[in-house]
Amino acid sequence: MSSGAGALEQPGARRWASGALGVAAVLIALTALLTATRGSDTVSQALTPAPPPPPPAPVALISVQSGATEPINPMTPISIAVQQGTLRNVTVTDTNTGKKLDGTLAPDSASWQTKNPLSYGDTYQVAVTAVGTDTKVVQQSGSVSTLKPALQAYPSFIPAPSQNNVGVGQPLVVKFDHPVTDKAAAEKALVVTTSPQQTGSWYWISPSEAHYRPQVYWQPNSTITLAANMFGVDLGKGTFGQTNRTETIHIHDSWVAKADGKSETMQIFQNGNLVNTMPISLGSPGHPSHSGPHVISDKQPSIIMDSCSYGVCQGQKGYYKEKVDLDERISNDGEFVHSAPWSTGQQGDSNVSHGCVNLSPQNARWFFDHLGVGDVVEITNSGGPPLPIFDTYGDWEPSWEQWQAGSALK
């Protein structure tokens, strides 16, 4: 009985055992879940690489006259630049003079360049200090050379800067002491400004001489400035402009004398108004005066006129050599307006001179006192050929279209 009774389970005991088994199963499941989760983290962490260390800060890179492999034009500034840093100090020294050159630093301190033009055929020593973004100081030195021209062409002016008050017919003349091959380059460097504004153009008389005139005579009381920005300009075949020059001239009242070989009179106009008329004698049929506009290029109280200057020398027919007063040159071919007391009987009647405009002493004095360099003498009905453009100031003989065709920039 007792063994049978012992074999029987009590209902409460079965319930406790069943609950215990359920709790144990949950605990085992939770443990397995936690173990699995920790194992996954461990594998993930083992497979992810560590981030690389940051790169070092860049070192400053300095360049001197980047891209220049040959001597530079002296108008090209010496330039310094830095990448990945800033410039701390730049020194450029002229090795010929020992002088340090002034320069301009950019606002970001990343570049620097010289302020003023350099010299021909010179060498400049450069020393640069910069600080990189790595805070390290970098130093660099070098040299820059400038080209050496085979020839240097100097631009002289007519009228000269001292002759700064001229008439309405005065052309601007630039004469170079060496021929110019690249006329276009030279012409671009010749800058004319006028007040009031007037249209004008250059004409090359020869490879070394260029003239500038407006379309019509200058306006009275104009101001004209000529700038020859020639330094550093390549004029061709190894010739460069020697220097820059500037002049300013004033145009006074308009004085235009109209000499008529038919009426044998000369009318003189001031600013378009007739102010005097006087009898004249022009060149004889054997020595006719050139026709067309002439410009007074010089005036002298007296000169010695010698026919040998144009080939009629002592012992030949027509030779003369004598002192002549109140002379105003109107061409290089020996034509003047001057006093001629020996021909007063022919003045107003016939042409008997060797090409000059003959006046009585009284009229010559008036003319000499009122007209001067740059004023105009227009000769008509003389029987002579037009004044050649190359004869001092034959500039007004060509038409405006012909004149413009003489420009290298046409």
Side-chain angles (χ1 to χ4, degrees):
M1 292 293 289
S2 61
S3 61
L8 295 176
E9 294 181 347
Q10 297 295 322
R14 286 197 300 267
R15 287 193 297 270
W16 181 89
S18 176
L21 289 172
V23 170
V26 171
L27 291 173
I28 292 169
L30 288 173
T31 302
L33 177 63
L34 290 172
T35 302
T37 303
R38 290 193 189 97
S40 174
D41 286 346
T42 302
V43 172
S44 175
Q45 291 173 3
L47 294 177
T48 302
V59 178
L61 300 176
I62 299 170
S63 62
V64 178
Q65 209 67 24
S66 178
T69 58
E70 300 291 336
I72 64 173
N73 188 299
M75 289 300 293
T76 301
I78 295 176
S79 59
I80 314 297
V82 64
Q83 295 179 346
Q84 303 164 175
T86 57
L87 294 172
R88 175 174 289 180
N89 184 62
V90 178
T91 302
V92 177
T93 305
D94 184 335
T95 58
N96 283 344
T97 65
K99 180 180 178 181
K100 290 180 171 55
L101 276 60
D102 294 331
T104 302
L105 181 67
D108 61 359
S109 297
S111 62
W112 181 98
Q113 68 177 23
T114 50
K115 287 183 178 180
N116 302 314
L118 309 176
S119 301
Y120 286 124
D122 206 345
T123 299
Y124 298 86
Q125 194 66 36
V126 180
V128 185
T129 302
V131 178
T133 53
D134 62 352
T135 70
K136 293 182 179 179
V137 175
V138 176
Q139 294 181 328
Q140 186 169 319
S141 62
S143 63
V144 176
S145 297
T146 55
L147 61 85
K148 184 177 182 180
L151 294 170
Q152 296 182 40
Y154 180 83
S156 61
F157 290 165
I158 300 175
S162 58
Q163 182 69 57
N164 57 12
N165 192 297
V166 294
V168 297
Q170 177 66 54
L172 304 178
V173 179
V174 178
K175 288 186 174 183
F176 296 93
D177 56 358
H178 295 290
V180 172
T181 302
D182 192 342
K183 297 183 181 67
E187 197 169 318
K188 288 177 183 177
L190 297 172
V191 180
V192 178
T193 55
T194 61
S195 179
Q197 186 173 353
Q198 295 156 75
T199 300
S201 182
W202 289 97
Y203 188 106
W204 287 85
I205 304 295
S206 74
S208 59
E209 183 173 343
H211 290 210
Y212 185 96
R213 53 156 265 211
Q215 184 171 359
V216 294
Y217 297 146
W218 297 110
Q219 295 181 34
N221 301 309
S222 297
T223 299
I224 318 297
T225 298
L226 167 61
N229 303 317
M230 302 308 303
F231 182 74
V233 177
D234 186 350
L235 302 176
K237 295 187 177 180
T239 299
F240 282 74
Q242 179 177 337
T243 188
N244 297 333
R245 301 190 66 207
T246 301
E247 74 168 352
T248 298
I249 63 174
H250 178 72
I251 306 298
H252 55 233
D253 283 356
S254 172
W255 286 94
V256 179
K258 298 179 182 288
D260 187 346
K262 186 175 181 180
S263 66
E264 307 295 345
T265 60
M266 182 163 65
Q267 295 180 314
I268 302 172
F269 297 83
Q270 180 185 14
N271 294 329
N273 300 312
L274 180 63
V275 295
N276 205 339
T277 301
M278 51 189 66
I280 61 171
S281 180
L282 295 179
S284 66
H287 305 280
S289 305
H290 284 106
S291 63
H294 296 57
V295 177
I296 297 172
S297 60
D298 187 32
K299 60 188 299 183
Q300 299 294 333
S302 65
I303 61 173
I304 301 297
M305 290 193 177
D306 188 346
S307 62
C308 198
S309 63
Y310 60 86
V312 180
C313 297
Q314 189 171 8
Q316 297 177 295
K317 184 179 180 181
Y319 168 75
Y320 63 85
K321 183 177 181 179
E322 56 186 295
K323 175 177 170 292
V324 180
D325 296 329
L326 304 172
D327 307 278
E328 303 213 34
R329 179 182 289 277
I330 57 174
S331 84
N332 268 358
D333 197 32
E335 296 174 323
F336 291 80
V337 178
H338 63 76
S339 174
W342 57 87
S343 69
T344 54
Q346 289 79 34
Q347 292 167 23
D349 178 69
S350 57
N351 295 321
V352 297
S353 80
H354 285 80
C356 295
V357 181
N358 284 1
L359 297 173
S360 69
Q362 181 179 0
N363 285 332
R365 169 53 64 185
W366 189 97
F367 188 93
F368 191 87
D369 289 344
H370 289 81
L371 283 83
V373 172
D375 294 329
V376 180
V377 178
E378 297 177 349
I379 297 178
T380 57
N381 301 314
S382 65
L387 182 67
I389 189 173
F390 57 81
D391 191 346
T392 312
Y393 302 141
D395 301 55
W396 298 100
E397 185 60 37
S399 68
W400 179 238
E401 290 72 23
Q402 292 170 329
W403 183 263
Q404 289 179 300
S407 166
L409 301 177
K410 60 182 180 297

